[in-house]
Amino acid sequence: MTLRHIKIFLSVFQNGSVTKAARELRIAQPSASLAIKELEEFYGAKLFDRIGRRIYPTQTGRRLYDYALKICGLFDEANRSVKNPDALGEIRIGASIATGTILLPDIINRYKKTRPEITVKAIIGNSDEIERKVLANEIDVGFTEKQPESAEIIADSFGKDRLCAVCAPNCPLAKMESVSPQELAAEPFLTREKGSAVRDITDAYFAVCGLSISPVMESTGTEALLNAAEKGIGISILPYMLAKERIESGALSELPLKPQINRDLNIIRHKSKFLSPAIEDFLALWKENNNGSSPEN
């Protein structure tokens, strides 16, 4: 067994396909298949079940994957910090829309002042997308606004946030002392796409009351929803930290929801992920500036 075997196994596991792994690694498909076969012979156990044209990792394969992530992570870190000490590498960060828009830029700016030799690569997407990238080892850590679904992910809460319902100032609901889920559900709705933390929490908020909404507008961009709400097209439930500026300026009115919608903000990582000193420094800076406080304060 060699590091090459482990890298091929890792790629096959993450891609769910020998063909895709071979393409990613730029090797011939028979070479990738042979590497998996040799690994299975080495361990005396099947690593993948082959059903039709698809492959699925076995329990043994899943156990090996945890070690493979650590092995490749340590190897990559060694290359970055030993082979080229004047360029200590990069860290890969993922953040969902709210944290990526409001919190991430400031932390990256602070981090680059203390670790200028490190390149920070950041990806912004919805929470499901960030979780998938953590699972696939495409990013080192993620910052999301929902609990991860995979048991392979570790979540560490760093603060709290709330969602708020916003509408145009002339909306009749804006004059009420409190607004119930039933009253809210009767209005035209502007929502984020399915898979986003905001949409999942919004749907769950109404489902608890046996209600559902039929959005008149869905968008992956928060700005589009804020603009539509300001124009009086409908009601939108969004993170307070993204709506705060328009609420304070009077462009939008916040509805007094009863009950309110609160949520945890999480740092997520794969349970087997090796965290380099560069990543540890980034996380320490993040927690120092955000831990225990809501972004609305």
Side-chain angles (χ1 to χ4, degrees):
M1 182 187 67
T2 65
L3 181 62
R4 177 177 178 274
H5 286 88
I6 293 298
K7 286 189 171 183
I8 291 173
F9 165 79
L10 197 63
S11 183
V12 171
F13 189 105
Q14 291 172 347
N15 285 287
S17 165
V18 175
T19 302
K20 291 180 180 178
R23 189 180 303 125
E24 178 180 79
L25 298 172
R26 298 182 180 180
I27 60 176
Q29 181 175 335
S31 297
S33 297
L34 179 60
I36 298 301
K37 180 181 178 182
E38 289 174 344
L39 272 177
E40 291 179 329
E41 290 175 350
F42 179 84
Y43 287 111
K46 289 185 67 176
L47 300 176
F48 297 98
D49 286 322
R50 295 152 180 85
I51 303 174
R53 295 185 176 181
R54 300 193 62 184
I55 63 172
Y56 301 87
T58 62
Q59 285 299 108
T60 301
R62 292 184 182 279
R63 287 200 300 272
L64 180 59
Y65 178 71
D66 289 343
Y67 288 104
L69 271 180
K70 293 177 182 177
I71 291 167
C72 290
L74 284 168
F75 181 78
D76 291 342
E77 176 64 18
N79 277 343
R80 287 195 294 265
S81 57
V82 177
K83 185 176 180 180
N84 188 4
D86 293 326
L88 294 181
E90 66 181 32
I91 60 174
R92 303 167 302 167
I93 306 300
S96 50
I97 303 298
T99 54
T101 301
I102 302 299
L103 304 179
L104 187 61
D106 181 59
I107 300 301
I108 290 177
N109 185 49
R110 292 169 183 258
Y111 182 78
K112 290 180 75 66
K113 291 178 180 178
T114 60
R115 298 295 301 269
E117 75 281 9
I118 302 296
T119 299
V120 180
K121 291 189 174 181
I123 294 174
I124 309 299
N126 68 41
S127 292
D128 282 359
E129 180 184 356
I130 299 305
E131 182 173 342
R132 285 195 299 271
K133 289 185 178 296
V134 168
L135 283 170
N137 196 34
E138 294 177 12
I139 57 177
D140 300 311
V141 293
F143 302 92
T144 65
E145 301 110 24
K146 66 184 284 191
Q147 289 297 318
E149 296 180 3
S150 173
E152 303 297 304
I153 299 289
I154 295 173
D156 180 16
S157 175
F158 68 86
K160 293 187 179 296
D161 179 35
R162 66 182 174 87
L163 301 185
C164 65
V166 293
C167 63
N170 60 357
C171 174
L173 292 185
K175 300 176 176 58
M176 299 177 63
E177 293 186 2
S178 67
V179 177
S180 69
Q182 290 79 8
E183 291 166 324
L184 203 59
E187 297 294 317
F189 243 86
L190 318 165
T191 68
R192 286 285 309 280
E193 80 288 2
K194 287 187 177 295
S196 71
V198 171
R199 178 61 180 273
D200 289 349
I201 294 171
T202 298
D203 287 345
Y205 180 73
F206 289 108
V208 168
C209 304
L211 303 169
S212 62
I213 56 173
S214 297
V216 298
M217 178 178 175
E218 291 187 8
S219 174
T220 58
T222 302
E223 197 71 14
L225 300 176
L226 290 169
N227 288 339
E230 190 174 327
K231 298 293 184 183
I233 296 173
I235 308 291
S236 192
I237 291 181
L238 295 167
Y240 177 81
M241 57 178 155
L242 293 179
K244 179 180 179 181
E245 185 175 332
R246 297 199 193 204
I247 293 172
E248 291 181 345
S249 71
L252 286 172
S253 293
E254 179 183 359
L255 301 180
L257 289 184
K258 300 292 180 168
Q260 288 192 345
I261 309 174
N262 300 306
R263 61 181 182 172
D264 289 329
L265 303 174
N266 294 305
I267 300 169
I268 64 171
R269 63 180 176 86
H270 195 284
K271 68 179 184 181
S272 299
K273 177 66 181 178
F274 168 75
L275 298 182
S276 69
I279 300 170
E280 294 280 16
D281 286 348
F282 189 91
L283 293 179
L285 185 63
W286 184 280
K287 291 178 180 179
E288 178 185 330
N289 285 273
N290 294 312
N291 200 23
S293 63
S294 167
E296 68 181 83
N297 294 330

